[in-house]
Amino acid sequence: QRKPPKLQPLFAALLLHSFAMFAFSLLCAKIIGELLKLNDDPKVSGVYLHLPPASLTSRVINTLYPEKDVDCITDMNMGRLVQGNLSRGFVPPLAGAVLSLLQKHDASLEGKTVLLVGEGPLKLALHCLIERNGMFVQSSHSNSNSLQSQVMHADALVLLGAESMEIPSTWVRPGAAIIRCESILKSHNIGSSSRSGLGYLTAAYRAQNVVQSCSRWLQEQQYRPWHLHTLKLLPLNPVPSDIEISRAQTPKPIDQLAAEIGLLPEELEPYGRSKAKVRLSLLDRLHSQPDGKYILVAGITPTPLGEGKSTVTIGLVQAMSAHLKLNSFACLRQPSQGPTFGVKGGAAGGGYAQVIPMEEFNLHLTGDIHAITAANNLVAAAIDARMLHEATQSDKALFNRLVPSVNGVRKFSPIQISRLQGLGIHKTDPASLTPQEVSAFARLDLDPSKITWHRVVDTNDRFLRKITVGQASTEKGQTRETGFDIAVASEIMAILALSDNLGDMRGRLGRMVVGTSRSGKPVTAEDLGVSGAVAVLMKDAIKPTLMQTLEGTPVFVHAGPFANIAHGNSSVLADKLALKLVGQDGFVVTEAGFGADIGMEKFFNIKCRASGLKPNVVVLVATVRALKMHGGGPNVSAGAPLPREYIDENLSLVARGCRSNLRKQIQIAKLFGVPVVVALNAFRTDTPAEIDLVCQIAKECGASDAVSCQHWSQGGRGCLELALAVKEAARQPTNFQFLYNTEMPIVEKIRTIAQKVYGADDIEVSPEVQRKIDYYNHQGYGSLPICMAKTHLSLSHMPDKKGAPTGFVLPIRDIRASVGAGFIYPLVGTMSTMPGLPTRPCFYDIDIDPVTEDIIGLF
């Protein structure tokens, strides 16, 4: 039997070398991993790499953030040192210690010669520092033939790597300074590196660098003045299409815009070149910074065409920042893709008052609506799955699957313990539950006829309004009728818009009521055990998205709840971030959906309650077109040509519209104690006489000012007069107040809104609605604010009643609760939460160029 050949020595050596290199690479990877953690830890101001020289590879060294490199070993900091730029870098501690000893020598060394003997990175640092302090520097190494001559002529001698170097004393000039820089790594005693105390001094300089790093960090955390570089706008006449205007302007890189408005790099999460999420840590950093002025843009009761609140909002901030050089921020809602591909089109503004790139704004943006869709539908799936499993399993089998044994151990998850506590069961051991407690815990016992939670999709699809689910044989006959809403109608969207932080959002998501049990108890997302997972899906969506206008001014785009069954405003968080960023003398301009009777009322009574913020000015947008409609003009329909009354001058229609709807909307704003500026969004068909008449009557009706705006055709320059009027109005004292106390009975809160805002004589509450109100009171929801769901086309519940109707009774047809969002919403008439597509939707005109990838036809 032959023995296997012996391993060749060379191969064995190579194998050992490979193992050693592999182990070394693992060690370096571990070091780099720890450095990355230290880089991101705000509690760490400086990092000293006390490692064996072999571990200090270039990759390891340059992983360290330069601002935390207190030993000045990174390439970045060494480069700064060589350039003499120490405003952001550091002096290496050992080099600083050597320089200090040289400067404290018995005889002044200024103009004298210092000899550096040896090699290493310290040599370059010392050379630069010593020269800058007025000394001449020479370099040598220990085996140089001219070393003796150089030493004899030197006034000071610095020995680098001195532990292996001996210089005969006969070579040294009398009175010359000698400093030995032994390797600190080889000296565990901090003071043993030199009899001169160099080790102690080095440690002191290192500590000084840590203090300096901390001071710089604290300075960076302070509010930063803006250095905004605006984009030049060259308006054309005739005005091109929105998408042509947007594409003609090149937006600034988003990180440049962020730096200009005082954001730190670590507060930005870029999504491509032109948009980025902003982290909520900004609120902690600027918590002591006073807020700027808070401006709300609302409108009169609109025509079906809309009156341009978004364009006014954008034109106003362009005027303030690009032309008046005031810090200003627009906060807008994210548009649903339903209207974008339906009738209305996008919501990025229009003409020369737009958010750019408008394609990115109007389509997927940063995926927030998709996150809401996924989160909402996860809840819907959890509901149906839970009902199926409860219907087909015994209490014991259901409990064993809900609390499975893992490696012989059975325990509750945190969210299950929360459910137990809600049931009044204060136990943590699954084995200790009684059969009755097991049944109560395991069974939600949802009543299929009282499930209020729908699935959602971000498309106008009328055929999903009512559907039947569970028809497959695998669902064992568990069919039920349900439906789809459009994604922005999801309660999760309203929660996103009203949340104050991630913890607040998590709590609200848990409180969402998805249905009622057969015993009449509300069943929440927390009961389902799904609220934590929903919060995970929403963790990035809670951060506002930063974009810019055509003139390079900043915009936050965040949330977009329905303005009928929800409150129709952008997020609390976007407003709060912007108010800190603009500074005490800056302006944040946000928009409320629909007319002032709906969006503005909800902004004040719901959003301002949730945020604690108080507005300074209301900008009320009106158009001559809408005022003529309210003055008795014929109906206006989307897609149909405007009647002659809206094209020709008609002062009587304008005057009647002003003295009815405009007057009423000004009065509504003043109910809350906020000054009003009327912004007339001017169209080409408006005559000077009509414009002057609107401005005159608006002031007579109580507006602080009323001005005409041409932002659509001129950009910010066309809104300068409005910007000055808003600036002046913001100086006025406000007496902001809510319309009602939330502790009032639900019916009285509804009646207050109906009478004071809509002009109704009274409300009509059906017996079924009253039963629901009694149920909500019993469940503890009676102190929630009211979110009225009614038509936006009239102050009343009747869409065809224009102007300012009176003498009507407002019928409350139904009432529902969004407990997670935190409001009760009465329904006045029939509300559709899933729009349908018209005969000719916008998508007929939308396409893409396959060569350039440019989008065509989006508006």
Side-chain angles (χ1 to χ4, degrees):
Q1 184 178 5
R2 291 189 303 169
K3 293 181 180 180
K6 292 182 178 180
L7 204 62
Q8 294 296 321
L10 180 59
F11 179 71
L14 288 172
L15 191 61
L16 287 171
H17 177 72
S18 297
F19 279 131
M21 292 300 293
F22 178 69
F24 180 70
S25 65
L26 287 178
L27 175 63
C28 287
K30 187 173 182 180
I31 294 170
I32 288 170
E34 291 301 314
L35 285 177
L36 291 172
K37 292 178 186 177
L38 294 170
N39 283 345
D40 292 334
D41 188 345
K43 297 187 292 294
V44 174
S45 297
V47 178
Y48 165 40
L49 296 181
H50 192 77
L51 298 169
S55 300
L56 292 174
T57 64
S58 175
R59 185 182 170 205
V60 167
I61 289 171
N62 290 302
T63 296
L64 180 61
Y65 279 175
E67 54 266 32
K68 294 190 177 185
D69 169 28
V70 293
D71 260 37
C72 191
I73 59 175
T74 60
D75 292 347
M76 176 68 77
N77 278 343
M78 188 57 72
R80 288 169 176 165
L81 177 68
V82 171
Q83 292 177 342
N85 177 20
L86 293 178
S87 60
R88 298 179 63 191
F90 301 96
V91 172
L94 185 54
V98 169
L99 185 63
S100 178
L101 291 175
L102 288 173
Q103 291 171 333
K104 292 176 181 177
H105 188 58
D106 294 340
S108 173
L109 291 175
E110 187 174 350
K112 303 296 180 66
T113 301
V114 178
L115 178 64
L116 306 179
V117 182
E119 300 298 332
L122 182 64
K123 187 173 185 178
L124 176 60
L126 278 170
H127 193 288
C128 296
L129 291 169
I130 292 170
E131 273 195 343
R132 288 193 194 116
N133 280 270
M135 305 173 221
F136 295 105
V137 182
Q138 291 186 344
S139 296
S140 186
H141 48 83
S142 57
N143 56 359
S144 170
N145 293 331
S146 60
L147 179 60
Q148 180 178 354
S149 173
Q150 287 178 298
V151 169
M152 294 179 72
H153 289 88
D155 299 295
L157 187 63
V158 179
L159 306 179
L160 309 174
E163 63 272 13
S164 60
M165 191 183 306
E166 289 296 333
I167 301 292
S169 59
T170 55
W171 292 7
V172 181
R173 290 176 59 177
I178 303 176
I179 300 174
R180 295 179 177 274
C181 301
E182 298 175 9
S183 172
I184 304 297
L185 277 174
K186 294 184 178 180
S187 306
H188 295 291
N189 182 346
I190 197 170
S192 66
S193 61
S194 171
R195 286 188 299 273
S196 62
L198 190 61
Y200 290 113
L201 200 53
T202 300
Y205 273 96
R206 184 175 293 115
Q208 180 176 292
N209 283 352
V210 173
V211 172
Q212 187 177 22
S213 173
C214 183
S215 298
R216 289 174 184 169
W217 182 85
L218 289 172
Q219 185 63 35
E220 284 181 349
Q221 302 310 299
Q222 303 305 306
Y223 177 78
R224 295 181 171 192
W226 284 22
H227 300 284
L228 189 67
H229 294 84
T230 55
L231 301 176
K232 192 175 180 63
L233 202 59
L234 298 172
L236 301 176
N237 191 10
V239 176
S241 70
D242 292 350
I243 198 165
E244 288 174 322
I245 293 171
S246 174
R247 194 168 291 141
Q249 185 72 288
T250 302
K252 293 179 287 189
I254 200 64
D255 55 347
Q256 177 187 331
L257 174 63
E260 290 174 359
I261 61 174
L263 284 165
L264 303 180
E266 59 267 27
E267 292 168 340
L268 207 66
E269 296 178 3
Y271 280 63
R273 184 182 180 276
S274 53
K275 56 187 183 294
K277 288 283 192 182
V278 174
R279 293 180 179 172
L280 305 186
S281 58
L282 171 68
L283 287 175
D284 295 326
R285 177 168 70 87
L286 298 181
H287 71 278
S288 60
Q289 169 67 25
D291 290 343
K293 304 294 185 182
Y294 198 23
I295 314 301
L296 174 67
V297 175
I300 65 170
T301 304
T303 68
L305 308 177
E307 309 317 309
K309 294 190 302 296
S310 296
T311 58
V312 170
T313 300
I314 297 163
L316 177 55
V317 294
Q318 287 181 180
M320 284 181 158
S321 290
H323 300 274
L324 297 182
K325 305 306 177 185
L326 300 170
N327 292 356
S328 73
F329 228 113
C331 292
L332 301 176
R333 291 174 291 167
Q334 180 183 355
S336 164
Q337 288 179 184
T340 299
F341 293 103
V343 176
K344 183 176 176 291
Y352 287 100
Q354 289 190 60
V355 179
I356 57 171
M358 66 92 79
E359 306 100 302
E360 296 182 24
F361 178 95
N362 284 318
L363 298 176
H364 304 286
L365 198 64
T366 49
D368 293 357
I369 293 180
H370 300 316
I372 289 165
T373 302
N376 185 100
N377 293 344
L378 177 61
V379 175
I383 292 168
D384 287 313
R386 185 60 172 266
M387 288 197 299
L388 169 67
H389 295 311
E390 287 189 22
T392 56
Q393 298 179 53
S394 66
D395 288 353
K396 182 178 180 182
L398 191 61
F399 182 79
N400 287 341
R401 285 180 172 85
L402 286 170
V403 193
S405 176
V406 180
N407 298 324
V409 178
R410 189 188 300 275
K411 64 178 182 178
F412 295 115
S413 68
I415 203 166
Q416 290 176 326
I417 290 174
S418 173
R419 170 156 169 77
L420 285 168
Q421 291 171 346
L423 293 168
I425 302 171
H426 301 286
K427 297 178 180 179
T428 56
D429 181 7
S432 67
L433 266 64
T434 66
Q436 293 79 12
E437 290 170 340
V438 165
S439 180
F441 167 79
R443 295 199 177 276
L444 300 177
D445 199 26
L446 274 160
D447 184 339
S449 67
K450 294 183 179 178
I451 292 170
T452 55
W453 196 264
H454 281 189
R455 288 167 171 83
V456 299
V457 64
D458 198 32
T459 303
N460 289 0
D461 192 344
R462 65 178 69 244
F463 284 90
L464 292 177
R465 289 170 180 168
K466 182 177 282 190
I467 62 170
T468 301
V469 296
Q471 296 190 80
S473 60
T474 50
E475 274 51 78
K476 304 176 183 179
Q478 298 297 309
T479 62
R480 69 179 182 92
E481 279 194 354
T482 180
F484 272 77
D485 296 331
I486 196 161
V488 293
S490 170
E491 184 176 353
I492 297 175
M493 174 62 92
I495 287 172
L496 174 67
L498 290 170
S499 294
D500 199 49
N501 52 56
L502 188 58
D504 181 35
M505 183 177 74
R506 171 64 181 83
R508 289 173 179 267
L509 292 170
R511 293 193 295 273
M512 294 186 303
V513 175
V514 301
T516 306
S517 71
R518 287 184 173 89
S519 62
K521 295 179 180 178
V523 177
T524 66
E526 192 81 2
D527 293 327
L528 272 173
V530 74
S531 50
V534 169
V536 168
L537 287 171
M538 294 293 295
K539 73 178 182 66
D540 292 320
I542 198 172
K543 305 165 192 170
T545 299
L546 178 66
M547 294 188 76
Q548 63 193 282
T549 68
L550 279 166
E551 298 192 55
T553 68
V555 177
F556 272 140
V557 187
H558 200 214
F562 248 29
N564 48 24
I565 66 164
H567 60 293
N569 290 263
S570 62
S571 78
V572 165
L573 281 168
D575 292 357
K576 285 192 169 185
L577 290 171
L579 284 164
K580 294 298 182 187
L581 284 169
V582 296
Q584 191 169 7
D585 298 322
F587 294 82
V588 171
V589 184
T590 190
E591 175 196 349
F594 293 154
D597 57 305
I598 298 180
M600 183 184 71
E601 182 270 317
K602 295 174 183 179
F603 175 87
F604 290 146
N605 282 321
I606 297 175
K607 185 176 179 180
C608 289
R609 280 187 211 270
S611 68
L613 300 173
K614 296 181 180 181
N616 298 92
V617 180
V618 168
V619 174
L620 192 65
V621 178
T623 61
V624 167
R625 176 180 68 196
L627 291 168
K628 286 180 176 179
M629 180 189 72
H630 290 298
N635 289 336
V636 175
S637 300
L642 281 174
R644 293 300 310 175
E645 288 87 345
Y646 295 100
I647 298 170
D648 298 336
E649 183 178 283
N650 192 319
L651 297 179
S652 62
L653 285 179
V654 171
R656 287 199 296 270
C658 287
R659 292 193 170 96
S660 58
N661 195 269
L662 180 60
R663 179 193 298 274
K664 178 62 176 175
Q665 300 287 14
I666 293 171
Q667 290 172 351
I668 294 169
K670 293 177 79 67
L671 281 174
F672 297 91
V674 183
V676 180
V677 173
V678 171
L680 182 65
N681 185 14
F683 286 57
R684 285 173 294 181
T685 53
D686 299 346
T687 67
E690 289 173 330
I691 291 171
D692 291 343
L693 181 61
V694 172
C695 294
Q696 174 196 328
I697 297 176
K699 294 174 188 175
E700 292 172 0
C701 293
S704 299
D705 205 345
V707 297
S708 173
C709 306
Q710 284 81 33
H711 48 279
W712 184 80
S713 58
Q714 299 177 23
R717 190 170 299 281
C719 242
L720 271 174
E721 196 176 351
L722 175 63
L724 291 169
V726 168
K727 182 182 177 184
E728 182 61 32
R731 292 196 179 104
Q732 298 178 24
T734 61
N735 184 29
F736 177 71
Q737 58 187 3
F738 297 120
L739 189 63
Y740 54 80
N741 187 319
T742 54
E743 297 305 317
M744 290 168 58
I746 290 174
V747 169
E748 290 307 311
K749 286 183 281 193
I750 297 171
R751 181 175 285 113
T752 299
I753 295 171
Q755 292 177 336
K756 292 189 176 182
V757 176
Y758 306 152
D761 285 350
D762 203 353
I763 62 172
E764 179 184 67
V765 178
S766 69
E768 176 59 27
V769 169
Q770 188 59 55
R771 279 194 292 272
K772 285 190 172 183
I773 290 173
D774 294 340
Y775 172 76
Y776 292 149
N777 286 328
H778 179 72
Q779 296 299 331
Y781 307 151
S783 61
L784 294 176
I786 301 299
C787 183
M788 298 293 287
K790 80 167 188 70
T791 179
H792 62 290
L793 297 175
S794 172
L795 281 162
S796 73
H797 60 288
M798 301 166 282
D800 58 330
K801 298 295 182 182
K802 306 302 181 184
T806 57
F808 63 93
V809 174
L810 191 74
I812 308 303
R813 305 300 186 194
D814 194 4
I815 190 164
R816 300 172 190 169
S818 289
V819 180
F823 52 72
I824 302 284
Y825 63 100
L827 280 80
V828 182
T830 303
M831 287 291 120
S832 175
T833 53
M834 171 54 82
L837 289 172
T839 303
R840 193 187 189 283
C842 300
F843 61 64
Y844 275 89
D845 301 311
I846 298 172
D847 209 331
I848 189 167
D849 186 319
V851 177
T852 64
E853 298 185 8
D854 286 343
I855 294 171
I856 303 161
L858 194 65
F859 71 95

